[in-house]
Short mmCIF file of all heavy atoms in Angstrom, two decimals:
data_model
loop_
_atom_site.label_atom_id
_atom_site.label_comp_id
_atom_site.label_asym_id
_atom_site.label_seq_id
_atom_site.Cartn_x
_atom_site.Cartn_y
_atom_site.Cartn_z
N LEU A 27 2.56 -0.45 -17.62
CA LEU A 27 1.71 0.47 -17.17
C LEU A 27 1.47 1.61 -18.14
O LEU A 27 0.32 1.99 -18.34
CB LEU A 27 2.19 1.15 -15.72
CG LEU A 27 1.20 2.21 -15.13
CD1 LEU A 27 -0.08 1.47 -14.81
CD2 LEU A 27 1.88 2.72 -13.78
N SER A 28 2.46 2.01 -18.89
CA SER A 28 2.22 3.04 -19.86
C SER A 28 1.37 2.51 -21.06
O SER A 28 0.56 3.37 -21.60
CB SER A 28 3.62 3.56 -20.41
OG SER A 28 4.31 2.57 -21.02
N GLU A 29 1.52 1.25 -21.32
CA GLU A 29 0.69 0.67 -22.44
C GLU A 29 -0.83 0.67 -21.96
O GLU A 29 -1.75 0.95 -22.63
CB GLU A 29 1.16 -0.79 -22.75
CG GLU A 29 0.29 -1.41 -23.82
CD GLU A 29 0.73 -2.78 -24.12
OE1 GLU A 29 1.92 -3.07 -24.39
OE2 GLU A 29 -0.13 -3.72 -23.98
N LEU A 30 -0.97 0.29 -20.69
CA LEU A 30 -2.35 0.21 -20.12
C LEU A 30 -2.93 1.66 -20.06
O LEU A 30 -4.07 1.85 -20.46
CB LEU A 30 -2.24 -0.28 -18.69
CG LEU A 30 -3.66 -0.26 -17.91
CD1 LEU A 30 -4.19 -1.60 -17.69
CD2 LEU A 30 -3.50 0.55 -16.67
N GLN A 31 -2.17 2.59 -19.61
CA GLN A 31 -2.71 4.03 -19.68
C GLN A 31 -3.00 4.55 -21.03
O GLN A 31 -3.88 5.38 -21.22
CB GLN A 31 -1.72 4.84 -18.91
CG GLN A 31 -1.67 4.47 -17.39
CD GLN A 31 -0.76 5.27 -16.57
OE1 GLN A 31 0.31 5.82 -17.13
NE2 GLN A 31 -0.91 5.33 -15.23
N GLY A 32 -2.23 4.10 -22.03
CA GLY A 32 -2.49 4.46 -23.43
C GLY A 32 -3.82 3.88 -23.84
O GLY A 32 -4.57 4.62 -24.57
N ALA A 33 -4.14 2.70 -23.52
CA ALA A 33 -5.36 2.06 -23.94
C ALA A 33 -6.54 2.74 -23.11
O ALA A 33 -7.64 2.89 -23.68
CB ALA A 33 -5.30 0.50 -23.46
N ALA A 34 -6.26 3.09 -21.92
CA ALA A 34 -7.29 3.76 -21.15
C ALA A 34 -7.69 5.13 -21.73
O ALA A 34 -8.84 5.55 -21.81
CB ALA A 34 -6.94 3.93 -19.70
N SER A 35 -6.66 5.85 -22.12
CA SER A 35 -6.82 7.14 -22.74
C SER A 35 -7.71 7.06 -24.06
O SER A 35 -8.60 7.73 -24.28
CB SER A 35 -5.45 7.88 -23.06
OG SER A 35 -5.73 9.09 -23.62
N ALA A 36 -7.20 6.01 -24.88
CA ALA A 36 -8.00 5.71 -26.08
C ALA A 36 -9.44 5.33 -25.90
O ALA A 36 -10.34 5.56 -26.71
CB ALA A 36 -7.22 4.64 -26.94
N ALA A 37 -9.75 4.75 -24.56
CA ALA A 37 -11.12 4.36 -24.29
C ALA A 37 -11.83 5.49 -23.73
O ALA A 37 -13.06 5.26 -23.37
CB ALA A 37 -10.97 3.13 -23.36
N GLY A 38 -11.17 6.64 -23.47
CA GLY A 38 -11.85 7.77 -22.89
C GLY A 38 -11.73 7.95 -21.47
O GLY A 38 -12.44 8.76 -20.88
N ALA A 39 -10.82 7.12 -20.82
CA ALA A 39 -10.70 7.30 -19.36
C ALA A 39 -9.87 8.44 -19.03
O ALA A 39 -9.01 8.88 -19.83
CB ALA A 39 -9.97 5.91 -18.84
N ASP A 40 -9.94 8.96 -17.73
CA ASP A 40 -9.22 10.11 -17.36
C ASP A 40 -7.82 9.50 -16.90
O ASP A 40 -7.69 8.74 -15.90
CB ASP A 40 -9.88 10.72 -16.06
CG ASP A 40 -9.10 11.84 -15.59
OD1 ASP A 40 -8.07 12.22 -16.09
OD2 ASP A 40 -9.46 12.29 -14.46
N VAL A 41 -6.88 9.96 -17.62
CA VAL A 41 -5.32 9.44 -17.30
C VAL A 41 -4.53 10.66 -17.04
O VAL A 41 -3.36 10.77 -17.26
CB VAL A 41 -4.78 8.65 -18.47
CG1 VAL A 41 -5.49 7.27 -18.47
CG2 VAL A 41 -4.81 9.21 -19.80
N SER A 42 -5.18 11.79 -16.45
CA SER A 42 -4.36 12.99 -16.21
C SER A 42 -3.27 12.66 -15.15
O SER A 42 -3.32 11.79 -14.38
CB SER A 42 -5.38 14.12 -15.68
OG SER A 42 -6.08 13.56 -14.46
N GLU A 43 -2.32 13.56 -15.17
CA GLU A 43 -1.20 13.35 -14.39
C GLU A 43 -1.54 13.49 -12.88
O GLU A 43 -2.44 14.31 -12.55
CB GLU A 43 -0.14 14.67 -14.64
CG GLU A 43 1.18 14.32 -14.04
CD GLU A 43 2.23 15.31 -14.40
OE1 GLU A 43 2.16 15.74 -15.61
OE2 GLU A 43 3.02 15.66 -13.64
N GLY A 44 -0.99 12.68 -12.03
CA GLY A 44 -1.33 12.57 -10.66
C GLY A 44 -2.42 11.58 -10.39
O GLY A 44 -2.62 11.28 -9.23
N ARG A 45 -3.04 11.09 -11.38
CA ARG A 45 -4.05 10.08 -11.20
C ARG A 45 -3.44 8.72 -11.37
O ARG A 45 -2.74 8.45 -12.32
CB ARG A 45 -5.20 10.27 -12.16
CG ARG A 45 -6.30 9.17 -11.97
CD ARG A 45 -7.63 9.80 -12.47
NE ARG A 45 -8.69 8.97 -12.06
CZ ARG A 45 -9.16 7.86 -12.68
NH1 ARG A 45 -8.71 7.58 -13.92
NH2 ARG A 45 -10.15 7.15 -12.23
N SER A 46 -3.58 7.85 -10.36
CA SER A 46 -2.97 6.48 -10.36
C SER A 46 -3.88 5.47 -10.95
O SER A 46 -4.63 4.67 -10.25
CB SER A 46 -2.53 6.13 -8.87
OG SER A 46 -1.91 4.87 -8.90
N LEU A 47 -3.95 5.38 -12.31
CA LEU A 47 -4.82 4.46 -12.99
C LEU A 47 -3.90 3.21 -13.08
O LEU A 47 -2.91 3.19 -13.77
CB LEU A 47 -5.14 4.90 -14.33
CG LEU A 47 -6.08 4.04 -15.13
CD1 LEU A 47 -7.46 4.25 -14.66
CD2 LEU A 47 -5.95 4.43 -16.58
N ARG A 48 -4.37 2.14 -12.46
CA ARG A 48 -3.64 0.82 -12.55
C ARG A 48 -4.45 -0.34 -13.16
O ARG A 48 -3.80 -1.30 -13.54
CB ARG A 48 -3.41 0.37 -11.00
CG ARG A 48 -2.78 1.33 -10.11
CD ARG A 48 -1.42 1.67 -10.53
NE ARG A 48 -0.59 0.62 -10.37
CZ ARG A 48 0.75 0.57 -10.71
NH1 ARG A 48 1.36 1.60 -11.11
NH2 ARG A 48 1.51 -0.53 -10.56
N ALA A 49 -5.65 0.03 -13.51
CA ALA A 49 -6.54 -1.05 -14.27
C ALA A 49 -7.76 -0.17 -14.70
O ALA A 49 -8.12 0.84 -14.15
CB ALA A 49 -6.90 -2.17 -13.43
N PHE A 50 -8.53 -0.79 -15.60
CA PHE A 50 -9.77 -0.14 -16.03
C PHE A 50 -10.71 -1.18 -16.60
O PHE A 50 -10.25 -2.23 -17.13
CB PHE A 50 -9.65 1.18 -16.90
CG PHE A 50 -9.23 0.84 -18.27
CD1 PHE A 50 -10.27 0.81 -19.33
CD2 PHE A 50 -7.96 0.70 -18.63
CE1 PHE A 50 -9.88 0.60 -20.62
CE2 PHE A 50 -7.52 0.55 -19.92
CZ PHE A 50 -8.44 0.44 -20.92
N GLY A 51 -11.89 -0.90 -16.56
CA GLY A 51 -13.06 -1.85 -17.13
C GLY A 51 -13.85 -1.12 -18.14
O GLY A 51 -14.14 0.12 -17.94
N VAL A 52 -14.35 -1.76 -19.07
CA VAL A 52 -15.29 -1.29 -20.06
C VAL A 52 -16.54 -2.25 -19.96
O VAL A 52 -16.46 -3.44 -20.16
CB VAL A 52 -14.76 -1.21 -21.43
CG1 VAL A 52 -15.80 -0.79 -22.39
CG2 VAL A 52 -13.48 -0.50 -21.56
N ILE A 53 -17.66 -1.70 -19.40
CA ILE A 53 -18.90 -2.37 -19.30
C ILE A 53 -19.79 -2.19 -20.53
O ILE A 53 -19.94 -1.06 -20.98
CB ILE A 53 -19.60 -1.83 -18.01
CG1 ILE A 53 -18.75 -1.95 -16.81
CG2 ILE A 53 -20.90 -2.62 -17.84
CD1 ILE A 53 -19.23 -1.30 -15.58
N SER A 54 -20.27 -3.30 -21.05
CA SER A 54 -21.16 -3.24 -22.25
C SER A 54 -22.47 -2.52 -21.96
O SER A 54 -22.82 -2.43 -20.78
CB SER A 54 -21.34 -4.61 -22.83
OG SER A 54 -22.29 -5.29 -21.88
N GLY A 55 -23.08 -2.00 -22.95
CA GLY A 55 -24.38 -1.34 -22.80
C GLY A 55 -25.35 -2.16 -22.08
O GLY A 55 -26.19 -1.69 -21.26
N ASP A 56 -25.49 -3.37 -22.39
CA ASP A 56 -26.41 -4.23 -21.79
C ASP A 56 -26.02 -4.78 -20.49
O ASP A 56 -26.74 -5.50 -19.79
CB ASP A 56 -26.92 -5.39 -22.68
CG ASP A 56 -25.77 -6.34 -22.96
OD1 ASP A 56 -24.71 -6.20 -22.54
OD2 ASP A 56 -26.06 -7.33 -23.74
N ARG A 57 -24.76 -4.48 -20.07
CA ARG A 57 -24.19 -4.93 -18.80
C ARG A 57 -24.06 -6.47 -18.64
O ARG A 57 -23.79 -6.93 -17.52
CB ARG A 57 -24.92 -4.30 -17.64
CG ARG A 57 -24.92 -2.79 -17.66
CD ARG A 57 -25.53 -2.22 -16.32
NE ARG A 57 -25.48 -0.78 -16.39
CZ ARG A 57 -26.55 -0.11 -16.02
NH1 ARG A 57 -27.66 -0.67 -15.51
NH2 ARG A 57 -26.49 1.20 -16.08
N ALA A 58 -24.18 -7.10 -19.66
CA ALA A 58 -24.12 -8.61 -19.66
C ALA A 58 -22.66 -9.02 -19.82
O ALA A 58 -22.26 -10.21 -19.59
CB ALA A 58 -24.92 -9.27 -20.68
N SER A 59 -21.77 -8.04 -20.27
CA SER A 59 -20.36 -8.43 -20.45
C SER A 59 -19.47 -7.21 -20.09
O SER A 59 -19.90 -6.06 -20.03
CB SER A 59 -20.04 -8.90 -21.83
OG SER A 59 -20.31 -7.77 -22.80
N CYS A 60 -18.30 -7.53 -19.76
CA CYS A 60 -17.36 -6.51 -19.27
C CYS A 60 -15.96 -6.88 -19.69
O CYS A 60 -15.57 -8.06 -19.65
CB CYS A 60 -17.40 -6.47 -17.70
SG CYS A 60 -16.55 -5.24 -16.82
N THR A 61 -15.15 -5.87 -20.11
CA THR A 61 -13.76 -6.16 -20.32
C THR A 61 -12.92 -5.43 -19.38
O THR A 61 -13.04 -4.17 -19.21
CB THR A 61 -13.41 -5.69 -21.83
OG1 THR A 61 -14.33 -6.33 -22.73
CG2 THR A 61 -12.05 -6.00 -22.20
N ILE A 62 -11.99 -6.11 -18.74
CA ILE A 62 -11.01 -5.53 -17.71
C ILE A 62 -9.70 -5.47 -18.41
O ILE A 62 -9.16 -6.48 -18.94
CB ILE A 62 -11.01 -6.39 -16.49
CG1 ILE A 62 -12.39 -6.37 -15.83
CG2 ILE A 62 -10.04 -5.95 -15.53
CD1 ILE A 62 -12.57 -7.28 -14.60
N HIS A 63 -9.10 -4.30 -18.33
CA HIS A 63 -7.73 -4.04 -18.70
C HIS A 63 -6.71 -4.04 -17.49
O HIS A 63 -7.01 -3.26 -16.63
CB HIS A 63 -7.52 -2.80 -19.53
CG HIS A 63 -8.29 -2.84 -20.80
ND1 HIS A 63 -7.62 -2.85 -21.97
CD2 HIS A 63 -9.61 -2.82 -21.06
CE1 HIS A 63 -8.58 -3.02 -23.11
NE2 HIS A 63 -9.73 -2.98 -22.51
N VAL A 64 -5.66 -4.84 -17.45
CA VAL A 64 -4.78 -4.80 -16.41
C VAL A 64 -3.29 -5.02 -16.91
O VAL A 64 -3.12 -5.49 -18.12
CB VAL A 64 -5.00 -6.04 -15.39
CG1 VAL A 64 -6.29 -5.80 -14.59
CG2 VAL A 64 -4.90 -7.30 -16.02
#
């Protein structure tokens, strides 16, 4: 989970204390592709 949260922070996601981030996705600009981190 800490590795996932580090990747989320590097991607610009809110990983502030008290927030339960368990996965995150990065949607491409054209929305034809998406990367999910779990």
Side-chain angles (χ1 to χ4, degrees):
L27 183 58
S28 62
E29 181 184 304
L30 173 112
Q31 291 177 337
S35 180
D40 177 13
V41 293
S42 57
E43 190 171 329
R45 184 149 190 271
S46 180
L47 182 79
R48 307 296 293 182
F50 72 97
V52 178
I53 302 168
S54 69
D56 65 2
R57 299 186 182 137
S59 64
C60 183
T61 303
I62 297 174
H63 293 252
V64 295

